[in-house]
Amino acid sequence: MDLASVWFFLWGLLWAVYFATGGFDLGAGMLLPFLGKSEEDKAVIANAVGPLWDGNEVWLLTAGGVTFAAFPTVYAVMFSALYLPLMLILFGLIIRGVAFEFRGKKDSPGWKRTWDACLFVGSLLPALLLGVAFANLFASVPIDGGGIFHGTILTLLTPYGLLGGLLFVVLFLLHGSFWLSLRSEGELRDRAFKTGKLLWPVALFAAACFLLLSYFSTDLFARYFAHPVLLLVPLAAVAALLMVRVYLKKESPGMAWAFSGLTIVLCTFFGVIGMYPNLIASSLSPDFSLNVTNGSSSPLTLLIMLGVAAVFVPLVIAYQAWAYKIFFHPVQKDDMHY
């Protein structure tokens, strides 16, 4: 396998890891208005993700950096064709980060309600729009030979694109409900776990609809039918989602959280594998598509990047493993900072 193909799958892996790690804190932010029945509940929810959310964003920065360095042409076209949704994602993440820092700065109900609303919107927008963006990448985007996007934001809001956004939102909500079950106690923990039980059939239905519509709206399955062994990936995604149900019945939020994260990773790889070798497929003509051949950097650049990644990625993983170990316990009053 050539270096460009190696980086294609590493690119997909980085996005998958971000969705699995950032997904639960986005989900928790979206759940805050519904599960936070009191100010103490809302403070617990904010503190449940507060020490980890910025570390999770490292994977987003890394995925974006890899796109820029390994596939510069793809990066340029992506920020042209998907400019508005990507900017809205960034604005949402900025608002969310500010909300974490500011909600605890003033002991005023109105002040905290304002930043709680920002936390909700700043969690919902990225979850929804990342799903819309990736669903469009899984399908195709109307770009010409010069990488010019022929359309508007409404062009991206197809039934398939919107379903992708809905799937991301539901999976992140499910993932976030289990994280809150792990990091809270009493009634809040019970409400969060009950919410996970209610969300699971919705997630199963959304995933089934997305798979079905992927067959009719994209060419993802062409690679799977050409190499039937690859069908193990979507089958494993379904199995992981079913395992979530098993651990729901066993009242085990930790294992349910682990398998919901695995579901998100496998769902992402379902699309990434189906896309290969394209990174941005053109709906105007296959000749205009950007792939690992015409969209990648030089082999020397890719080789240097591989060496850097081999050194620093294990360090990031070790740091995050340590952080998760430290903050895996339920939030206590002494932990409150937001």
Side-chain angles (χ1 to χ4, degrees):
M1 183 179 289
D2 61 282
L3 282 171
S5 296
V6 169
W7 272 108
F8 175 88
F9 288 104
L10 289 176
W11 172 82
L13 178 62
L14 290 170
W15 281 110
V17 172
Y18 170 65
F19 295 150
T21 55
F24 73 78
D25 63 54
L26 291 172
M30 289 186 281
L31 288 170
L32 185 143
F34 307 101
L35 296 183
K37 302 299 184 183
S38 65
E39 173 53 35
E40 184 177 344
D41 287 346
K42 293 176 182 178
V44 169
I45 292 171
N47 281 272
V49 297
L52 297 169
W53 75 270
D54 48 355
N56 293 338
E57 299 304 314
V58 169
W59 297 109
L60 174 62
L61 295 174
T62 306
V66 165
T67 308
F68 174 78
F71 305 104
T73 306
V74 174
Y75 182 90
V77 173
M78 187 180 294
F79 269 87
S80 173
L82 305 176
Y83 178 81
L84 185 55
L86 290 176
M87 288 305 298
L88 288 173
I89 289 169
L90 291 176
F91 289 150
L93 292 173
I94 291 169
I95 292 170
R96 184 166 171 267
V98 173
F100 275 120
E101 296 300 325
F102 275 43
R103 84 174 300 276
K105 298 298 184 183
K106 188 176 179 181
D107 191 15
S108 163
W111 174 270
K112 291 189 175 181
R113 279 196 300 269
T114 298
W115 292 113
D116 288 344
C118 290
L119 186 56
F120 171 76
V121 173
S123 299
L124 176 62
L125 267 182
L128 177 66
L129 294 177
L130 280 168
V132 171
F134 269 81
N136 277 277
L137 291 179
F138 293 163
S140 58
V141 180
I143 58 170
D144 62 21
I148 305 300
F149 178 64
H150 291 263
T152 65
I153 182 65
L154 296 179
T155 307
L156 305 174
L157 300 180
T158 62
Y160 185 69
L162 291 172
L163 182 57
L166 177 62
L167 178 64
F168 269 47
V169 168
V170 173
L171 287 177
F172 290 176
L173 284 169
L174 183 70
H175 203 30
S177 68
F178 298 138
W179 181 253
L180 293 180
S181 299
L182 284 168
R183 297 222 61 208
S184 60
E185 297 176 316
E187 292 184 4
L188 178 57
R189 179 196 179 280
D190 295 339
R191 285 198 301 271
F193 197 69
K194 183 179 179 181
T195 299
K197 289 182 177 179
L198 294 174
L199 285 169
W200 183 83
V202 180
L204 181 65
F205 180 72
C209 290
F210 188 76
L211 280 173
L212 182 63
L213 201 55
S214 293
Y215 179 80
F216 293 104
S217 302
T218 75
D219 295 326
L220 294 180
F221 279 97
R223 172 159 292 276
Y224 288 96
F225 292 150
H227 305 278
V229 68
L230 295 176
L231 288 169
L232 291 173
V233 174
L235 289 175
V238 173
L241 188 54
L242 293 176
M243 288 302 295
V244 172
R245 177 58 181 167
V246 170
Y247 285 103
L248 278 171
K249 294 184 72 173
K250 292 183 177 181
E251 302 284 327
S252 176
M255 291 303 296
W257 175 75
F259 275 103
S260 66
L262 181 60
T263 301
I264 293 170
V265 170
L266 291 171
C267 284
T268 305
F269 264 101
F270 160 71
V272 169
I273 291 171
M275 288 169 60
Y276 182 80
N278 291 327
L279 285 103
I280 303 180
S282 171
S283 60
L284 301 181
S285 170
D287 295 335
F288 300 154
S289 297
L290 293 174
N291 53 47
V292 296
T293 301
N294 62 15
S296 65
S297 296
S298 68
L300 178 59
T301 299
L302 298 177
L303 183 61
I304 293 172
M305 287 176 59
L306 196 61
V308 172
V311 174
F312 288 102
V313 170
L315 294 177
V316 174
I317 293 173
Y319 159 75
Q320 284 213 305
W322 173 80
Y324 275 72
K325 181 180 178 181
I326 294 296
F327 295 107
F328 208 69
H329 60 81
V331 176
Q332 306 295 327
K333 286 187 178 180
D334 292 342
D335 300 326
M336 301 289 193
H337 298 290
Y338 301 105

